[in-house]
Every structure is written in C-alpha cells, then in structure tokens.
Amino acid sequence: MPMNELPMVDVLRLRALDGHRLWIRFTDGSEGVRDFSDLLAAGGPMVEPLKAPDYFARAFVEMGAPTWPNGFDVDPINLYMQLRDAGALTRTAAE
C-alpha cells in the first residue's frame, strides 16, 4: 500500500506491557508495540489518569480503538500509520 493511502484498519486486540506500552494487533493481521510515553508527557486532563501503570493497563478495545475507562481513546488508523511509518509493524501467521 502506498504510504499516502489511508488504511482501513481497526484494532482487533491489545495487551498492556510495562513502561506505558501496548502490544496491538490490527484487523489486517499486522501487529506492533506502541510506547505511549510521549503522549503522557504531553499531558492534559484525559491522559493524566493513564500515567498510573494500573490504570494504563485497563486499556480495552471499543469500536476498533484502544480505549480507557475514562473515555480516552486513540484513533486506530493514525496509530497504524505511526507504527507502519516507524517500521514497527510485523505480520503474524493465522491463528
């Protein structure tokens, strides 16, 4: 896919890792790990609760987006493109 095309993907699964990172699998079968430290460092009322590791670990998938109990979510397409452009996506074999 050309780099300027918007991929039509959602987050299928995620798992919280140490250090404010999420392992993410997308609907196209690719997966990667995103460190959210930069987002948390930017601050703001919605991300403040995520600074607590126990709260960050409560991430779940809602309507294809990583989401936290306070309603904060991350756009899955933007997330996919960030990981893709960083070369941080891998393909997995079918389960």
Side-chain angles (χ1 to χ4, degrees):
M1 160 184 353
M3 296 297 251
N4 60 350
E5 277 189 36
L6 287 177
M8 297 307 297
V9 294
D10 284 323
V11 172
L12 184 62
R13 291 185 182 162
L14 60 78
R15 183 173 56 246
L17 305 173
D18 63 333
H20 294 105
R21 298 176 305 137
L22 290 179
W23 167 85
I24 302 162
R25 178 170 294 157
F26 294 94
T27 53
D28 72 345
S30 61
E31 62 183 49
V33 174
R34 169 68 158 89
D35 185 341
F36 286 88
S37 297
D38 60 331
L39 182 79
L40 301 179
M46 292 297 285
V47 299
E48 282 303 313
L50 281 64
K51 291 181 179 181
D54 289 345
Y55 194 88
F56 184 85
R58 294 175 61 189
F60 59 95
V61 178
E62 183 173 69
M63 297 181 63
T67 306
W68 283 266
N70 67 346
F72 181 77
D73 65 1
V74 179
D75 176 57
I77 294 172
N78 189 37
L79 183 59
Y80 180 92
M81 290 190 310
Q82 288 173 358
L83 291 170
R84 178 196 67 190
D85 295 350
L89 287 177
T90 59
R91 293 276 180 188
T92 57
E95 291 182 16

